[in-house]
């Protein structure tokens, strides 16, 4: 099954006999609050216009638990996540399509969580809202309660020790911007740098200028050049398990299974006992 769907394909599916559930997960990482500016408001963006029938999902409240020692976006409570998905109309037997404002990070986080908790058919709208050319809606739907019961445990989750081990035994990608990987700047977390052994692979390299994913063969070539060969296990981390999900999605488009370290750098760097590497060299 494809991990992504084009806008034109989605238009056809929504007009069909078995349309997918639509989830709007508009969110963006912002440091505006520290500068005194209002933070990004995904719910307000949703209210101003969304795909017809889409239900808004709050990444910070429904796709993560409270920030703390496990990072800025730790895994949500499974029961609360399941309840949020059922309120949005998610059922195990009905396909789900997730989108965001175009960056793809937040939609990928929802995609990863649904897949990890056992949903068999969830995709991301390639290019997000900017790729949608049909009319938008300002109406708020009231979907029938879904029956999705999350069953976590599917392969693909790493903790801090697992990420450190994978950096030695396989390949661990750091999906953040290169300057954060190298430790030149760190606008959010306690210290800059990367997990020793991790390879820099910024998410910006996964997409074309219009925000759509590169073709699968180009993504395969990119990740192969970075060390993702068939005989090596692959993992990804980022700042807090959001942009890293986008990299896992890109790897899925390329046909490469990968695990996600959800705690990511925000968890790793909170413990001064964990080693930190700086500079362009993985080690």
């Amino acid at each position: 099954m494809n991990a992504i769907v084009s806008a034109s394909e989605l238009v056809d599916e929504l007009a069909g006999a078995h349309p997918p559930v639509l989830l709007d997960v508009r969110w963006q990482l912002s440091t505006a609050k520290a500068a005194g500016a209002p933070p990004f408001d995904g719910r307000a963006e949703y209210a101003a216009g969304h795909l017809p029938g889409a239900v808004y999902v709050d990444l910070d409240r429904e796709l993560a638990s409270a920030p703390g020692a496990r990072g800025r976006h730790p895994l949500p409570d499974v029961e609360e996540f399941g309840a949020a998905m059922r309120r949005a109309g998610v059922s195990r037997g009905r396909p789900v399509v997730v989108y965001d404002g175009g960056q793809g990070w937040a939609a990928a986080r929802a995609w990863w969580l649904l897949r990890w908790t056992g949903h068999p058919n969830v995709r991301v709208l390639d290019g997000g809202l900017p790729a949608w050319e049909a009319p938008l809606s300002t109406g708020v739907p009231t979907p029938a309660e879904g029956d999705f019961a999350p069953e976590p445990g599917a392969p693909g989750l790493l903790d801090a020790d697992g990420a450190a081990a994978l950096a030695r035994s396989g390949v661990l990608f750091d999906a953040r911007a290169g300057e954060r990987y190298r430790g030149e700047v760190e606008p959010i977390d306690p210290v800059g740098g990367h997990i020793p052994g991790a390879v820099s692979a910024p998410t910006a390299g996964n997409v074309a200028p219009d925000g759509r994913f590169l073709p699968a063969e180009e993504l395969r070539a990119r990740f192969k050049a970075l060390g993702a060969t068939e005989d090596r296990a692959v993992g990804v981390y980022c700042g807090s398990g959001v942009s890293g999900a986008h990299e896992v999605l890109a790897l899925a488009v390329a046909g490469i299974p990968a695990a996600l370290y959800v705690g990511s750098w925000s968890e790793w760097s909170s413990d001064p006992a964990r080693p930190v590497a700086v500079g362009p060299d993985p080690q």
Side-chain angles (χ1 to χ4, degrees):
M1 185 190 73
N2 291 332
I4 57 176
V5 60
S6 71
S8 60
E9 290 170 333
L10 182 55
V11 167
D12 291 341
E13 291 185 19
L14 290 172
H18 303 286
V21 173
L22 294 179
L23 303 181
D24 182 313
V25 197
R26 271 179 275 184
W27 171 92
Q28 67 183 42
L29 178 65
S30 175
T31 57
K33 189 175 181 180
F40 176 82
D41 188 341
R43 191 175 292 278
E45 294 288 324
Y46 168 83
H50 51 266
L51 271 62
V55 176
Y56 180 71
V57 174
D58 189 314
L59 184 147
D60 291 315
R61 292 176 174 83
E62 296 174 315
L63 304 183
S65 54
R70 294 186 298 131
R72 278 182 281 111
H73 289 105
L75 286 172
D77 176 85
V78 171
E79 292 305 317
E80 292 180 7
F81 171 68
M85 292 299 98
R86 290 190 293 275
R87 286 194 302 271
V90 175
S91 292
R92 184 175 179 83
R94 187 176 173 190
V96 177
V97 172
V98 191
Y99 71 91
D100 58 23
Q103 189 178 42
W105 295 3
R109 170 75 175 216
W111 168 85
W112 184 86
L113 272 169
L114 281 165
R115 293 298 303 275
W116 179 67
T117 54
H119 198 286
N121 190 345
V122 54
R123 292 163 294 164
V124 169
L125 174 59
D126 194 17
L129 190 64
W132 184 258
E133 297 180 352
L136 298 177
S137 171
T138 56
V140 179
T142 53
E145 181 89 0
D147 64 13
F148 178 65
E151 297 178 1
L157 178 64
L158 292 171
D159 60 11
D161 290 342
L166 188 58
R168 298 187 298 270
S169 64
V171 58
L172 180 67
F173 289 135
D174 184 317
R176 299 172 300 159
E179 58 268 24
R180 292 183 69 191
Y181 170 88
R182 295 187 295 271
E184 298 164 359
V185 298
E186 182 44 65
I188 306 171
D189 293 314
V191 63
H194 58 269
I195 297 173
V199 176
S200 180
T203 56
N206 298 330
V207 296
D210 63 3
R212 292 177 173 88
F213 281 101
L214 297 174
E217 60 271 18
E218 292 185 28
L219 289 169
R220 277 193 294 271
R222 179 193 189 214
F223 293 124
K224 183 178 180 180
L226 291 169
T229 55
E230 292 182 359
D231 59 340
R232 304 181 78 187
V234 177
V236 181
Y237 76 95
C238 56
S240 65
V242 179
S243 67
H246 184 274
E247 190 110 300
V248 173
L249 176 58
L251 283 153
V253 172
I256 302 169
L260 178 65
Y261 172 27
V262 174
S264 285
W265 189 248
S266 59
E267 179 187 41
W268 184 276
S269 63
S270 69
D271 183 350
R274 295 194 182 104
V276 170
V278 296
D281 189 290
Q283 303 300 333

